Amino acid sequence: MLTRRVIPCLDVRDGRVVKGKKFKDIVDVEDPEVLGEYYSRAGADELVFYDITATNDARRISLEFIEKVAAKINIPFCVGGGVNSIEDFTDILRRGADKVSVNSAAVGNPKLITEASLKFGAQCVVLSMDVKKVDEGKWGVFINGGRIDTGLDALEWAKEGVELGAGELVINSIDADGMKEGYDLELLKTITSNVGVPIIASGGAGRMEDFSRAVLEADVDGVLAASVFHYKEIEIRDLKEYMRSKGIEVRL
Amino acid sequence: MNVIVDYGLGNLRSLQTALKGQGIETGITSDQEEIAAASAIFLPGVGAFRDASKALWESGLADLLIRKANEGTYIIGICLGMQLMYDRSFENGEYKGLGLIPGDIVKLEQMPKIPHMGWNNLTLEREDPLVKYTSTGDYVYFVHSYYAKSSGEEILAYGEYGERIPAIVRRGNTIGFQFHPEKSAEVGARLLKALGEIIL
Protein backbone atom coordinates (compact mmCIF):
# COMPACT_ATOMS: atom_id res chain seq x y z
CA MET A 1 0.00 0.00 0.00
CA LEU A 2 1.11 3.51 -0.74
CA THR A 3 2.34 5.14 2.46
CA ARG A 4 1.69 8.63 3.76
CA ARG A 5 4.86 10.68 3.62
CA VAL A 6 6.61 12.59 6.41
CA ILE A 7 8.49 15.52 4.93
CA PRO A 8 10.87 17.83 6.79
CA CYS A 9 11.28 21.22 5.18
CA LEU A 10 14.54 23.17 5.29
CA ASP A 11 15.06 26.84 4.48
CA VAL A 12 18.29 27.59 2.69
CA ARG A 13 19.90 31.00 2.35
CA ASP A 14 23.18 31.51 0.50
CA GLY A 15 23.73 27.78 0.43
CA ARG A 16 23.23 27.28 4.17
CA VAL A 17 20.30 25.95 6.15
CA VAL A 18 18.81 28.76 8.17
CA LYS A 19 17.11 26.79 10.95
CA GLY A 20 18.50 23.83 12.77
CA LYS A 21 20.88 25.33 15.28
CA LYS A 22 19.85 22.83 17.91
CA PHE A 23 21.55 19.95 16.15
CA LYS A 24 24.44 20.05 18.55
CA ASP A 25 25.47 16.51 17.74
CA ILE A 26 26.16 17.40 14.13
CA VAL A 27 29.47 19.15 13.53
CA ASP A 28 28.45 21.58 10.81
CA VAL A 29 24.77 22.16 11.36
CA GLU A 30 24.31 24.57 8.54
CA ASP A 31 25.22 22.39 5.58
CA PRO A 32 22.09 21.32 3.67
CA GLU A 33 23.64 17.99 2.74
CA VAL A 34 24.54 17.18 6.35
CA LEU A 35 21.05 17.93 7.59
CA GLY A 36 19.61 16.19 4.54
CA GLU A 37 21.55 13.05 5.29
CA TYR A 38 20.56 13.25 8.94
CA TYR A 39 16.86 13.38 8.07
CA SER A 40 17.23 10.71 5.44
CA ARG A 41 18.73 8.35 8.05
CA ALA A 42 16.13 9.40 10.60
CA GLY A 43 13.40 8.02 8.38
CA ALA A 44 12.16 11.04 6.40
CA ASP A 45 10.36 9.99 3.25
CA GLU A 46 11.26 13.05 1.28
CA LEU A 47 12.85 16.46 1.84
CA VAL A 48 11.90 19.94 0.74
CA PHE A 49 14.45 22.73 0.48
CA TYR A 50 13.22 26.28 0.09
CA ASP A 51 15.89 28.64 -1.11
CA ILE A 52 15.21 32.04 0.41
CA THR A 53 18.30 33.76 -0.98
CA ALA A 54 17.34 37.34 -1.71
CA THR A 55 18.68 38.00 -5.22
CA ASN A 56 18.76 35.95 -8.39
CA ASP A 57 22.52 36.19 -8.80
CA ALA A 58 23.15 35.02 -5.26
CA ARG A 59 20.59 32.25 -5.69
CA ARG A 60 22.43 30.77 -8.64
CA ILE A 61 25.43 30.25 -6.38
CA SER A 62 23.30 29.17 -3.46
CA LEU A 63 21.75 26.40 -5.58
CA GLU A 64 25.08 24.61 -5.67
CA PHE A 65 23.89 22.96 -2.47
CA ILE A 66 21.57 20.78 -4.60
CA GLU A 67 24.48 18.86 -6.10
CA LYS A 68 25.90 18.17 -2.66
CA VAL A 69 22.53 16.98 -1.39
CA ALA A 70 22.00 14.76 -4.44
CA ALA A 71 25.37 13.14 -3.84
CA LYS A 72 24.59 12.42 -0.19
CA ILE A 73 21.01 11.26 0.11
CA ASN A 74 19.05 8.40 -1.42
CA ILE A 75 15.51 9.62 -0.92
CA PRO A 76 13.67 12.08 -3.17
CA PHE A 77 13.89 15.81 -2.62
CA CYS A 78 12.16 18.91 -3.87
CA VAL A 79 13.65 22.37 -4.27
CA GLY A 80 11.67 25.60 -4.35
CA GLY A 81 12.00 29.30 -3.74
CA GLY A 82 12.28 31.98 -6.40
CA VAL A 83 11.45 29.64 -9.26
CA ASN A 84 10.42 31.94 -12.11
CA SER A 85 11.17 30.30 -15.41
CA ILE A 86 11.63 27.05 -17.26
CA GLU A 87 15.39 27.71 -16.99
CA ASP A 88 15.06 27.60 -13.20
CA PHE A 89 13.35 24.21 -13.48
CA THR A 90 16.08 22.93 -15.78
CA ASP A 91 18.82 24.23 -13.52
CA ILE A 92 17.37 22.69 -10.37
CA LEU A 93 16.57 19.31 -11.93
CA ARG A 94 19.94 19.07 -13.68
CA ARG A 95 21.68 19.58 -10.36
CA GLY A 96 19.91 16.51 -9.04
CA ALA A 97 16.61 17.49 -7.43
CA ASP A 98 13.61 15.27 -8.14
CA LYS A 99 10.94 17.93 -7.99
CA VAL A 100 10.68 21.67 -8.27
CA SER A 101 8.12 23.69 -6.40
CA VAL A 102 6.75 26.87 -7.86
CA ASN A 103 4.66 29.40 -5.96
CA SER A 104 4.31 33.14 -6.67
CA ALA A 105 5.58 32.98 -10.25
CA ALA A 106 2.89 30.50 -11.24
CA VAL A 107 0.18 32.95 -10.20
CA GLY A 108 1.53 35.58 -12.59
CA ASN A 109 2.44 33.09 -15.28
CA PRO A 110 0.31 29.93 -15.07
CA LYS A 111 1.77 28.70 -18.37
CA LEU A 112 4.99 28.01 -16.50
CA ILE A 113 3.28 25.02 -14.87
CA THR A 114 2.17 23.62 -18.21
CA GLU A 115 5.49 24.20 -19.90
CA ALA A 116 7.42 22.53 -17.08
CA SER A 117 4.98 19.65 -16.87
CA LEU A 118 5.22 18.92 -20.59
CA LYS A 119 8.98 19.17 -20.54
CA PHE A 120 9.81 17.28 -17.35
CA GLY A 121 6.62 15.42 -16.47
CA ALA A 122 3.90 16.33 -13.98
CA GLN A 123 5.66 14.40 -11.21
CA CYS A 124 8.42 17.05 -11.15
CA VAL A 125 6.07 19.99 -10.86
CA VAL A 126 4.86 20.87 -7.39
CA LEU A 127 2.51 23.80 -7.01
CA SER A 128 3.00 25.38 -3.62
CA MET A 129 0.23 27.67 -2.39
CA ASP A 130 0.21 30.09 0.54
CA VAL A 131 -3.37 30.24 1.65
CA LYS A 132 -5.28 32.40 4.14
CA LYS A 133 -8.90 32.20 5.26
CA VAL A 134 -10.92 35.08 3.83
CA ASP A 135 -14.45 34.02 4.73
CA GLU A 136 -16.35 31.07 6.17
CA GLY A 137 -15.34 28.07 4.03
CA LYS A 138 -13.33 30.34 1.70
CA TRP A 139 -9.58 30.67 1.38
CA GLY A 140 -7.56 33.06 -0.72
CA VAL A 141 -4.15 32.61 -2.36
CA PHE A 142 -1.42 34.99 -1.23
CA ILE A 143 2.02 35.55 -2.72
CA ASN A 144 5.33 37.13 -1.83
CA GLY A 145 5.50 35.48 1.54
CA GLY A 146 1.83 36.11 2.29
CA ARG A 147 2.03 39.88 1.73
CA ILE A 148 -0.02 40.15 -1.46
CA ASP A 149 -3.59 38.94 -1.88
CA THR A 150 -3.97 37.61 -5.41
CA GLY A 151 -7.75 37.55 -5.22
CA LEU A 152 -7.66 33.90 -6.29
CA ASP A 153 -9.79 31.35 -4.49
CA ALA A 154 -7.61 28.56 -3.07
CA LEU A 155 -9.77 25.68 -4.26
CA GLU A 156 -10.16 27.17 -7.74
CA TRP A 157 -6.42 27.77 -8.00
CA ALA A 158 -5.69 24.24 -6.79
CA LYS A 159 -7.98 22.78 -9.44
CA GLU A 160 -6.55 25.03 -12.11
CA GLY A 161 -3.00 24.15 -11.10
CA VAL A 162 -3.72 20.46 -11.58
CA GLU A 163 -5.38 21.11 -14.93
CA LEU A 164 -2.34 23.10 -15.98
CA GLY A 165 -0.12 20.14 -15.16
CA ALA A 166 1.00 20.22 -11.52
CA GLY A 167 1.58 16.71 -10.18
CA GLU A 168 1.40 17.60 -6.50
CA LEU A 169 0.17 20.45 -4.33
CA VAL A 170 1.66 21.81 -1.12
CA ILE A 171 -1.03 23.65 0.80
CA ASN A 172 0.51 26.02 3.29
CA SER A 173 -1.86 27.71 5.70
CA ILE A 174 -0.65 31.19 6.59
CA ASP A 175 -3.12 31.27 9.51
CA ALA A 176 -1.80 28.05 11.03
CA ASP A 177 1.88 28.52 10.20
CA GLY A 178 4.05 28.85 13.26
CA MET A 179 1.12 28.47 15.67
CA LYS A 180 1.81 24.78 16.40
CA GLU A 181 -1.89 24.21 16.91
CA GLY A 182 -2.38 21.82 14.05
CA TYR A 183 -2.85 21.98 10.30
CA ASP A 184 -5.91 23.76 8.90
CA LEU A 185 -7.99 20.61 8.50
CA GLU A 186 -11.03 22.33 7.05
CA LEU A 187 -8.92 23.87 4.30
CA LEU A 188 -7.13 20.60 3.59
CA LYS A 189 -10.37 18.62 3.47
CA THR A 190 -11.76 21.07 0.95
CA ILE A 191 -8.75 20.58 -1.30
CA THR A 192 -8.29 16.80 -0.98
CA SER A 193 -11.93 16.07 -1.67
CA ASN A 194 -11.86 18.05 -4.90
CA VAL A 195 -8.43 17.50 -6.41
CA GLY A 196 -6.93 14.32 -7.89
CA VAL A 197 -3.20 14.68 -7.21
CA PRO A 198 -1.21 14.11 -4.01
CA ILE A 199 -1.73 16.87 -1.43
CA ILE A 200 0.89 17.83 1.12
CA ALA A 201 -0.21 19.61 4.30
CA SER A 202 2.00 22.43 5.49
CA GLY A 203 1.86 24.91 8.35
CA GLY A 204 0.80 24.38 11.93
CA ALA A 205 2.12 21.02 13.07
CA GLY A 206 3.09 21.07 16.72
CA ARG A 207 2.16 17.70 18.23
CA MET A 208 2.20 14.18 16.84
CA GLU A 209 -1.59 14.05 16.72
CA ASP A 210 -1.59 17.04 14.35
CA PHE A 211 0.14 14.87 11.75
CA SER A 212 -2.15 11.89 12.17
CA ARG A 213 -5.27 14.08 12.13
CA ALA A 214 -4.23 15.63 8.82
CA VAL A 215 -4.11 12.13 7.35
CA LEU A 216 -7.13 10.63 9.08
CA GLU A 217 -9.45 13.63 8.90
CA ALA A 218 -8.26 15.47 5.79
CA ASP A 219 -6.82 12.52 3.84
CA VAL A 220 -3.58 14.27 2.89
CA ASP A 221 -0.83 12.25 1.23
CA GLY A 222 2.04 13.90 3.03
CA VAL A 223 2.68 16.00 6.10
CA LEU A 224 5.32 18.69 5.98
CA ALA A 225 6.87 20.46 8.93
CA ALA A 226 9.97 22.41 9.80
CA SER A 227 10.56 23.61 13.32
CA VAL A 228 9.25 20.61 15.25
CA PHE A 229 11.83 18.49 13.43
CA HIS A 230 14.66 21.03 13.46
CA TYR A 231 14.34 21.62 17.17
CA LYS A 232 13.92 17.91 17.82
CA GLU A 233 10.58 18.42 19.50
CA ILE A 234 9.45 15.44 17.49
CA GLU A 235 11.69 12.65 16.20
CA ILE A 236 10.64 11.35 12.81
CA ARG A 237 10.84 7.72 13.83
CA ASP A 238 8.69 8.31 16.93
CA LEU A 239 6.20 10.19 14.79
CA LYS A 240 5.98 7.38 12.26
CA GLU A 241 5.50 4.80 14.98
CA TYR A 242 2.76 6.95 16.43
CA MET A 243 1.10 7.31 13.03
CA ARG A 244 1.28 3.57 12.49
CA SER A 245 -0.35 3.03 15.90
CA LYS A 246 -3.23 5.16 14.60
CA GLY A 247 -3.65 2.82 11.66
CA ILE A 248 -1.80 4.95 9.12
CA GLU A 249 0.41 3.19 6.57
CA VAL A 250 3.96 4.55 6.91
CA ARG A 251 7.42 3.39 5.87
CA LEU A 252 9.30 2.25 8.96
CA MET B 1 32.81 -0.04 -19.13
CA ASN B 2 29.26 0.27 -17.79
CA VAL B 3 27.36 3.19 -19.21
CA ILE B 4 24.33 5.28 -18.34
CA VAL B 5 22.71 6.34 -21.59
CA ASP B 6 22.23 10.09 -21.75
CA TYR B 7 19.54 10.88 -24.26
CA GLY B 8 18.74 14.29 -22.89
CA LEU B 9 16.10 13.37 -20.33
CA GLY B 10 16.34 13.64 -16.62
CA ASN B 11 18.90 13.72 -13.90
CA LEU B 12 21.50 10.98 -14.09
CA ARG B 13 23.69 12.06 -11.22
CA SER B 14 21.66 10.38 -8.47
CA LEU B 15 21.69 7.09 -10.34
CA GLN B 16 25.41 7.28 -10.99
CA THR B 17 26.10 8.08 -7.33
CA ALA B 18 23.89 5.24 -6.09
CA LEU B 19 25.53 2.75 -8.44
CA LYS B 20 28.97 3.88 -7.36
CA GLY B 21 27.95 3.31 -3.77
CA GLN B 22 27.52 -0.38 -4.65
CA GLY B 23 30.79 -0.58 -6.54
CA ILE B 24 29.26 -0.18 -10.00
CA GLU B 25 31.30 2.44 -11.85
CA THR B 26 29.55 4.01 -14.80
CA GLY B 27 30.21 6.60 -17.45
CA ILE B 28 27.40 8.87 -18.63
CA THR B 29 27.37 9.01 -22.41
CA SER B 30 25.36 9.43 -25.57
CA ASP B 31 28.29 8.29 -27.72
CA GLN B 32 27.20 5.27 -29.73
CA GLU B 33 30.69 3.82 -29.96
CA GLU B 34 31.00 3.87 -26.19
CA ILE B 35 27.57 2.32 -25.82
CA ALA B 36 28.40 -0.32 -28.43
CA ALA B 37 31.47 -1.30 -26.38
CA ALA B 38 29.66 -1.23 -23.02
CA SER B 39 29.53 -4.25 -20.73
CA ALA B 40 26.28 -3.17 -19.08
CA ILE B 41 23.91 -0.42 -20.17
CA PHE B 42 21.66 1.62 -17.90
CA LEU B 43 18.67 3.22 -19.55
CA PRO B 44 17.26 5.86 -17.20
CA GLY B 45 14.57 8.39 -17.95
CA VAL B 46 11.87 10.58 -16.59
CA GLY B 47 9.33 12.49 -18.61
CA ALA B 48 7.22 11.53 -21.56
CA PHE B 49 7.46 8.24 -23.43
CA ARG B 50 6.92 10.02 -26.73
CA ASP B 51 10.00 12.22 -26.37
CA ALA B 52 12.17 9.37 -25.12
CA SER B 53 11.04 6.99 -27.85
CA LYS B 54 11.60 9.65 -30.48
CA ALA B 55 15.09 10.44 -29.15
CA LEU B 56 16.08 6.75 -29.14
CA TRP B 57 14.72 5.83 -32.58
CA GLU B 58 15.85 8.97 -34.39
CA SER B 59 19.39 8.78 -33.06
CA GLY B 60 19.82 5.11 -33.91
CA LEU B 61 20.27 4.32 -30.21
CA ALA B 62 17.20 2.09 -30.22
CA ASP B 63 18.68 -0.25 -32.85
CA LEU B 64 21.98 -0.28 -31.01
CA LEU B 65 20.32 -1.16 -27.68
CA ILE B 66 18.32 -3.97 -29.30
CA ARG B 67 21.50 -5.35 -30.89
CA LYS B 68 23.38 -5.18 -27.60
CA ALA B 69 20.51 -6.89 -25.78
CA ASN B 70 20.51 -9.68 -28.36
CA GLU B 71 24.25 -10.10 -27.90
CA GLY B 72 23.66 -10.73 -24.21
CA THR B 73 24.70 -7.38 -22.77
CA TYR B 74 22.86 -6.46 -19.57
CA ILE B 75 20.39 -3.66 -20.23
CA ILE B 76 18.90 -2.13 -17.09
CA GLY B 77 15.93 0.20 -17.50
CA ILE B 78 14.75 2.44 -14.71
CA CYS B 79 11.31 4.06 -14.51
CA LEU B 80 10.63 5.37 -18.02
CA GLY B 81 13.72 3.41 -19.08
CA MET B 82 11.98 0.20 -18.05
CA GLN B 83 8.80 1.16 -19.88
CA LEU B 84 10.84 1.77 -23.03
CA MET B 85 11.86 -1.91 -23.01
CA TYR B 86 8.30 -3.04 -23.76
CA ASP B 87 6.66 -3.21 -27.21
CA ARG B 88 4.66 -0.02 -27.20
CA SER B 89 3.20 2.69 -25.03
CA PHE B 90 -0.20 4.34 -25.15
CA GLU B 91 0.95 7.45 -23.31
CA ASN B 92 -0.83 10.27 -25.16
CA GLY B 93 -0.83 8.37 -28.43
CA GLU B 94 0.87 5.20 -29.50
CA TYR B 95 4.65 4.99 -29.52
CA LYS B 96 7.12 2.26 -30.23
CA GLY B 97 9.32 0.80 -27.51
CA LEU B 98 12.36 -1.42 -27.87
CA GLY B 99 10.39 -4.66 -27.80
CA LEU B 100 12.83 -6.41 -25.46
CA ILE B 101 9.96 -7.52 -23.20
CA PRO B 102 6.51 -8.39 -24.61
CA GLY B 103 3.79 -6.08 -23.35
CA ASP B 104 2.30 -2.60 -23.50
CA ILE B 105 2.53 0.51 -21.38
CA VAL B 106 -0.91 1.73 -20.36
CA LYS B 107 -2.35 4.38 -18.06
CA LEU B 108 -3.09 3.74 -14.41
CA GLU B 109 -6.82 4.19 -14.03
CA GLN B 110 -8.12 2.43 -10.95
CA MET B 111 -7.02 4.88 -8.30
CA PRO B 112 -8.33 8.39 -7.66
CA LYS B 113 -4.84 9.88 -7.50
CA ILE B 114 -2.48 9.78 -10.44
CA PRO B 115 0.57 9.82 -10.60
CA HIS B 116 1.31 6.89 -8.33
CA MET B 117 3.83 8.87 -6.32
CA GLY B 118 5.47 7.85 -3.10
CA TRP B 119 6.61 4.84 -1.12
CA ASN B 120 4.85 1.58 -1.79
CA ASN B 121 5.72 -1.96 -0.82
CA LEU B 122 6.86 -4.82 -2.98
CA THR B 123 5.52 -8.34 -3.20
CA LEU B 124 8.06 -10.86 -4.42
CA GLU B 125 6.75 -13.06 -7.18
CA ARG B 126 9.69 -15.14 -8.30
CA GLU B 127 13.09 -16.02 -6.90
CA ASP B 128 16.07 -14.48 -8.61
CA PRO B 129 19.58 -13.40 -7.60
CA LEU B 130 18.43 -9.82 -8.24
CA VAL B 131 16.00 -9.93 -5.32
CA LYS B 132 18.14 -11.99 -2.95
CA TYR B 133 18.45 -9.08 -0.51
CA THR B 134 14.84 -7.95 -0.97
CA SER B 135 11.77 -9.07 0.97
CA THR B 136 8.05 -8.83 0.47
CA GLY B 137 6.90 -5.69 2.28
CA ASP B 138 10.03 -3.64 1.51
CA TYR B 139 9.19 -0.07 0.54
CA VAL B 140 10.47 1.58 -2.63
CA TYR B 141 9.85 4.98 -4.20
CA PHE B 142 7.51 5.08 -7.20
CA VAL B 143 6.67 7.99 -9.48
CA HIS B 144 4.67 7.11 -12.58
CA SER B 145 1.30 7.40 -14.27
CA TYR B 146 1.62 4.46 -16.66
CA TYR B 147 2.50 0.82 -16.05
CA ALA B 148 3.45 -2.32 -17.93
CA LYS B 149 0.64 -4.63 -18.90
CA SER B 150 2.02 -7.99 -19.94
CA SER B 151 1.70 -11.72 -19.51
CA GLY B 152 3.54 -11.24 -16.23
CA GLU B 153 6.24 -13.83 -16.94
CA GLU B 154 8.97 -11.23 -16.48
CA ILE B 155 7.79 -10.05 -13.05
CA LEU B 156 10.11 -10.63 -10.09
CA ALA B 157 8.22 -8.26 -7.80
CA TYR B 158 5.13 -6.13 -8.06
CA GLY B 159 3.47 -3.26 -6.23
CA GLU B 160 -0.24 -2.67 -5.78
CA TYR B 161 -1.89 0.56 -6.83
CA GLY B 162 -5.35 -0.37 -7.98
CA GLU B 163 -3.55 -2.66 -10.42
CA ARG B 164 -0.76 -5.13 -10.03
CA ILE B 165 2.19 -3.03 -11.08
CA PRO B 166 5.27 -4.80 -12.42
CA ALA B 167 7.95 -3.26 -10.22
CA ILE B 168 11.05 -5.40 -10.80
CA VAL B 169 11.17 -7.28 -14.09
CA ARG B 170 13.73 -9.52 -15.69
CA ARG B 171 13.88 -11.34 -18.97
CA GLY B 172 17.34 -12.88 -19.20
CA ASN B 173 19.81 -10.04 -19.50
CA THR B 174 17.08 -7.42 -19.68
CA ILE B 175 16.25 -5.96 -16.25
CA GLY B 176 13.82 -3.21 -15.30
CA PHE B 177 12.75 -1.24 -12.25
CA GLN B 178 9.51 0.74 -12.41
CA PHE B 179 10.44 2.60 -9.22
CA HIS B 180 13.67 4.46 -8.48
CA PRO B 181 16.15 2.21 -6.67
CA GLU B 182 18.51 5.18 -6.42
CA LYS B 183 15.85 7.03 -4.40
CA SER B 184 14.66 4.05 -2.36
CA ALA B 185 16.98 4.37 0.62
CA GLU B 186 18.39 1.08 2.00
CA VAL B 187 16.03 -1.16 0.05
CA GLY B 188 17.19 0.42 -3.18
CA ALA B 189 20.82 0.13 -2.17
CA ARG B 190 20.39 -3.60 -1.52
CA LEU B 191 18.81 -4.09 -4.94
CA LEU B 192 21.70 -2.31 -6.61
CA LYS B 193 24.12 -4.43 -4.58
CA ALA B 194 22.49 -7.58 -5.93
CA LEU B 195 22.50 -6.08 -9.40
CA GLY B 196 26.24 -5.46 -9.10
CA GLU B 197 26.78 -9.10 -8.20
CA ILE B 198 24.97 -10.10 -11.39
CA ILE B 199 26.45 -7.69 -13.90
CA LEU B 200 30.04 -7.22 -12.70
Side-chain angles (χ1 to χ4, degrees):
Chain A
M1 219 164 108
L2 194 64
T3 69
R4 310 291 172 150
R5 287 173 267 156
V6 174
I7 308 170
C9 173
L10 299 96
D11 287 341
V12 178
R13 189 195 290 141
D14 300 319
R16 312 288 274 177
V17 172
V18 178
K19 291 174 189 164
K21 304 262 185 200
K22 289 214 174 155
F23 285 87
K24 291 200 171 73
D25 47 341
I26 294 175
V27 181
D28 187 351
V29 295
E30 295 183 328
D31 273 340
E33 70 272 23
V34 175
L35 270 182
E37 197 182 17
Y38 171 83
Y39 280 125
S40 172
R41 283 176 196 270
D45 295 307
E46 193 170 324
L47 301 174
V48 172
F49 294 91
Y50 279 122
D51 195 289
I52 54 171
T53 307
T55 66
N56 287 332
D57 283 350
R59 187 175 306 116
R60 216 153 288 284
I61 298 163
S62 176
L63 288 179
E64 284 170 10
F65 81 85
I66 299 172
E67 287 156 46
K68 296 180 195 155
V69 170
K72 269 272 158 55
I73 70 168
N74 55 7
I75 58 170
F77 68 100
C78 176
V79 174
V83 173
N84 272 310
S85 65
I86 205 78
E87 288 72 34
D88 291 336
F89 271 85
T90 309
D91 189 27
I92 290 169
L93 293 171
R94 279 264 165 85
R95 291 175 191 267
D98 300 280
K99 303 175 183 181
V100 177
S101 100
V102 60
N103 190 330
S104 300
V107 173
N109 175 21
K111 275 189 194 152
L112 179 59
I113 298 174
T114 310
E115 216 182 315
S117 184
L118 286 174
K119 187 159 184 195
F120 304 108
Q123 79 287 342
C124 293
V125 184
V126 179
L127 176 60
S128 179
M129 306 167 41
D130 293 330
V131 170
K132 206 190 277 187
K133 193 164 188 172
V134 289
D135 206 342
E136 210 40 58
K138 283 270 174 206
W139 293 266
V141 178
F142 288 69
I143 54 169
N144 292 36
R147 287 189 295 273
I148 300 171
D149 183 355
T150 65
L152 288 168
D153 175 72
L155 178 59
E156 291 311 312
W157 178 231
K159 285 185 187 168
E160 192 185 339
V162 173
E163 256 169 56
L164 289 164
E168 183 162 279
L169 304 180
V170 175
I171 309 295
N172 182 45
S173 162
I174 296 170
D175 303 312
D177 197 23
M179 304 302 286
K180 295 195 174 181
E181 286 173 356
Y183 296 102
D184 186 337
L185 299 177
E186 198 191 347
L187 161 68
L188 292 167
K189 255 185 267 184
T190 304
I191 307 283
T192 55
S193 53
N194 283 288
V195 173
V197 299
I199 306 294
I200 310 300
S202 165
R207 298 149 298 178
M208 292 211 261
E209 67 170 273
D210 296 335
F211 294 88
S212 58
R213 287 186 67 191
V215 173
L216 296 171
E217 293 176 36
D219 196 26
V220 299
D221 300 272
V223 281
L224 183 148
S227 57
V228 290
F229 296 139
H230 299 322
Y231 297 110
K232 286 200 169 179
E233 290 159 19
I234 294 176
E235 296 280 357
I236 291 174
R237 219 165 282 281
D238 296 343
L239 172 61
K240 288 175 112 178
E241 268 164 25
Y242 173 84
M243 289 169 76
R244 178 175 277 181
S245 78
K246 296 286 170 191
I248 298 168
E249 185 89 3
V250 289
R251 179 181 68 107
L252 266 172
Chain B
M1 192 176 71
N2 308 301
V3 301
I4 297 174
V5 180
D6 180 8
Y7 54 105
L9 289 176
N11 127 54
L12 313 175
R13 198 188 306 269
S14 304
L15 177 60
Q16 190 180 38
T17 305
L19 290 170
K20 193 174 178 180
Q22 301 306 322
I24 308 171
E25 296 287 343
T26 53
I28 294 176
T29 184
S30 55
D31 184 282
Q32 301 209 7
E33 278 179 35
E34 275 180 32
I35 296 168
S39 43
I41 301 170
F42 289 86
L43 187 61
V46 291
F49 194 101
R50 182 196 63 183
D51 297 350
S53 166
K54 203 171 154 214
L56 290 180
W57 286 106
E58 284 181 1
S59 62
L61 269 172
D63 295 305
L64 174 58
L65 291 171
I66 294 165
R67 197 182 82 222
K68 289 291 285 178
N70 290 335
E71 287 169 8
T73 304
Y74 283 105
I75 316 268
I76 302 102
I78 292 164
C79 198
L80 179 62
M82 164 183 146
Q83 298 189 352
L84 286 162
M85 294 171 148
Y86 284 81
D87 293 324
R88 8 171 230 179
S89 168
F90 292 94
E91 181 180 337
N92 299 320
E94 183 184 332
Y95 303 98
K96 197 175 160 193
L98 299 173
L100 300 175
I101 305 175
D104 291 335
I105 304 303
V106 298
K107 194 164 177 57
L108 284 165
E109 273 170 337
Q110 298 305 314
M111 298 295 275
K113 289 191 183 182
I114 309 290
H116 173 214
M117 175 151 62
W119 296 84
N120 203 335
N121 48 5
L122 295 171
T123 302
L124 293 190
E125 178 80 349
R126 187 149 65 81
E127 276 188 35
D128 189 279
L130 185 59
V131 290
K132 67 195 268 198
Y133 305 122
T134 308
S135 312
T136 288
D138 280 353
Y139 286 104
V140 292
Y141 187 76
F142 287 91
V143 183
H144 63 122
S145 301
Y146 290 75
Y147 73 105
K149 199 163 183 144
S150 68
S151 69
E153 280 169 40
E154 78 281 17
I155 300 176
L156 299 186
Y158 62 89
E160 290 273 3
Y161 195 66
E163 323 266 3
R164 215 172 83 129
I165 307 211
I168 307 174
V169 299
R170 179 166 186 190
R171 189 171 188 248
N173 51 307
T174 300
I175 289 169
F177 300 98
Q178 176 60 74
F179 55 91
H180 287 274
E182 77 278 19
K183 292 287 172 183
S184 295
E186 284 312 305
V187 173
R190 289 201 301 270
L191 275 163
L192 296 180
K193 179 178 185 220
L195 179 69
E197 290 170 10
I198 294 168
I199 66 171
L200 294 180

